[in-house]
Amino acid sequence: MAETRVAILMGSKNDWDVMKPAADALERLQLGYEARVISAHRTPERLVAFIEGAEARGVRVFICGAGGAAHLAGVTAAHTLLPVLGVPIASSELGSGLDALLATVQMPGGIPVATLAIGKAGAKNAALLAAEILAVSDPDLRARLAKLREEQAAAIPEEPLAKG
Ligand code: RP5
């Protein structure tokens, strides 16, 4: 695996299905990552310990996915100057993930969290946004991102009933 550049944190192992598209996208872009189950509520010491060692291990961007009263991205952002990308997850009895979206996106001024869409699209885009952040100072990664965009466009049929 490539050297670590990104950390993918999630509040529960039950969040992995939603967060896996982030890992898939990072792998496609040959970006190394660490994925961990860390809850801001249930394992707060684990969160602080992970963040304290992350930058020395190569982490430059955090992706945090959580559901319900989703504090993981905000608490992570409070402990680091690295960019934090938040992915709201639909997991509570409210169902849609709107609770997690609001909890993640409505950060008070002073501690920023860049919030993506609810669910798998948000997880995938968080990885792509992390790559774009890193590509500012990595021309090879920028080229891989450009190739991915080209492949994505080429895979979209012009005809709605086209096979494939
Ligand atoms: C959040 O609570 C997690 O991110 C998860 O989405 C949600 C429910 O967690 P589990 O009860 O399924 O472990 O902290």
Side-chain angles (χ1 to χ4, degrees), residues 11-12 14-15 39 41-42 65-67 89 91:
S12 166
N14 297 325
D15 296 333
S39 167
H41 313 276
R42 293 166 173 161
I89 295 176
S91 67

Side-chain angles (χ1 to χ4, degrees), residues 34-108:
E34 297 178 354
R36 296 285 186 280
V37 176
I38 301 180
S39 167
H41 313 276
R42 293 166 173 161
T43 63
E45 293 86 4
R46 191 187 300 177
L47 178 59
V48 172
F50 182 88
I51 295 167
E52 281 177 355
E55 200 160 346
R57 291 194 306 277
V59 172
R60 294 294 176 266
V61 183
F62 285 91
I63 297 173
C64 297
H71 296 126
L72 182 59
V75 176
T76 299
H79 287 281
T80 182
L81 291 174
L82 296 174
V84 176
L85 315 183
V87 181
I89 295 176
S91 67
S92 75
E93 302 306 319
L94 290 178
S96 68
L98 186 59
D99 48 356
L101 172 63
L102 294 175
T104 306
V105 78
Q106 287 291 82
M107 286 296 291

